[in-house]
Amino acid sequence: MSETMRSDRIRQVIVAVTVLAAVVLAFVGSGVLGGTPIKDAADGAFASDATVLAPAGAAFGIWSVIYIGLFGYAAWQSFPSQAAKSTHRAVGYGVAASSLLNAVWIGCVQASRIAESMVIIVVLLVVLLATFARLRRRDRRGTIAEIVLVDGVIGLYLGWVTVATVANLAAWLTSIGVDGWAEAPGWPGVIALCGAGGLALAIAWTGGRWAPALASVWGLVWIAVERANGTPAAPTVAGAAIILAVAVLGVSAWSFFRRIRRV
């Protein structure tokens, strides 16, 4: 076996193992395997009523889609025929690193280490941005499997974590007693949300792909729903989230049609 083939095989195993670890810990974090559900862990710091940036509980359903997609990618890239594919060489270790960071994040929350979870999710966001950038550098059209399991899954993952990062920030700052993150009007939350929205807009502008936009919009809309109807009520945050969601969709549509016209 050549050195290149050995390297490809090692990457396949690392991706499969890290994704499996993330999926298993996700079950723990959901409470199915005996762990404390994320919304109840860390003294409820991530519950929908904990901060002005906490989304409604239904928002977290996107994790099921992301985990199924990650599992599908891990299985697909494990086939011998996929070992030397340039796509997996480009993104495989990014997927592995993001999966490992996700598992560590769940562990931090279960252990009520909110500050550490904040650091981990920022690193996770950086890793996903770098992996997405590697996808954007590809000039060729992908296969259906690549579009769904690579562009789609990584895009959804990145879009959701973009919004989840500021929700994590709000949870951390509220937990250490910083005022303004758990009560109306929630101006610090609005500023942070604009930062996340700005990043989502930048991704939409440069990428021309729907998956990250849809995931970011999903998170923003559920923040708006919870802040409009839940406690603490924060109409200012809800309004900002809706405006940002519409803007992300608009820029994504423009960038997408601009990209396909060049193909």
Side-chain angles (χ1 to χ4, degrees):
M1 182 183 293
S2 69
E3 188 63 32
T4 301
M5 291 177 62
R6 185 177 297 107
S7 177
D8 286 333
R9 293 283 191 265
I10 291 172
R11 186 196 65 249
Q12 286 179 302
V13 171
I14 290 174
V15 170
V17 170
T18 52
V19 169
L20 181 61
V23 171
V24 170
L25 276 176
F27 274 103
V28 173
S30 70
V32 173
L33 297 182
T36 303
I38 295 297
K39 64 182 180 65
D40 298 325
D43 296 322
F46 295 90
S48 61
D49 60 354
T51 75
V52 295
L53 292 185
F60 298 100
I62 195 173
W63 274 119
S64 297
V65 179
I66 293 171
Y67 285 130
I68 290 170
L70 285 172
F71 189 82
Y73 172 75
W76 174 53
Q77 64 88 43
S78 296
F79 287 110
S81 62
Q82 296 295 319
K85 297 291 187 180
S86 61
T87 297
H88 306 309
R89 287 176 174 172
V91 306
Y93 280 116
V95 172
S98 66
S99 298
L100 180 60
L101 287 165
N102 187 12
V104 173
W105 184 88
I106 293 172
C108 286
V109 175
Q110 290 287 326
S112 298
R113 309 296 296 189
I114 305 176
E116 288 84 348
S117 77
M118 185 65 224
V119 174
I120 294 299
I121 201 168
V122 170
V123 177
L124 173 58
L125 178 59
V126 171
V127 168
L128 289 171
L129 283 168
T131 305
F132 182 75
R134 293 178 70 86
L135 281 178
R136 285 186 55 248
R137 287 197 289 268
R138 295 184 304 162
D139 295 325
R140 63 184 181 83
R141 284 180 179 270
T143 64
I144 292 177
E146 287 176 331
I147 292 171
V148 174
L149 295 176
V150 182
D151 293 79
V153 173
I154 293 174
L156 287 176
Y157 201 175
L158 171 59
W160 171 252
V161 171
T162 298
V163 177
T165 299
V166 293
N168 203 141
L169 174 66
W172 169 50
L173 292 175
T174 298
S175 73
I176 61 176
V178 178
D179 294 334
W181 293 87
E183 57 189 27
W187 285 111
V190 170
I191 294 170
L193 203 59
C194 287
L199 178 56
L201 286 168
I203 294 169
W205 179 273
T206 60
R209 289 172 168 83
W210 284 108
L214 293 175
S216 293
V217 168
W218 174 267
L220 289 168
V221 167
W222 282 113
I223 288 174
V225 168
E226 188 63 22
R227 298 290 63 84
N229 301 298
T231 303
T236 304
V237 174
I242 290 298
I243 291 170
L244 288 167
V246 171
V248 170
L249 283 178
V251 171
S252 295
W254 180 84
S255 183
F256 174 76
F257 289 114
R258 181 188 63 173
R259 180 168 66 91
I260 63 175
R261 281 199 301 267
R262 293 200 304 261
V263 176

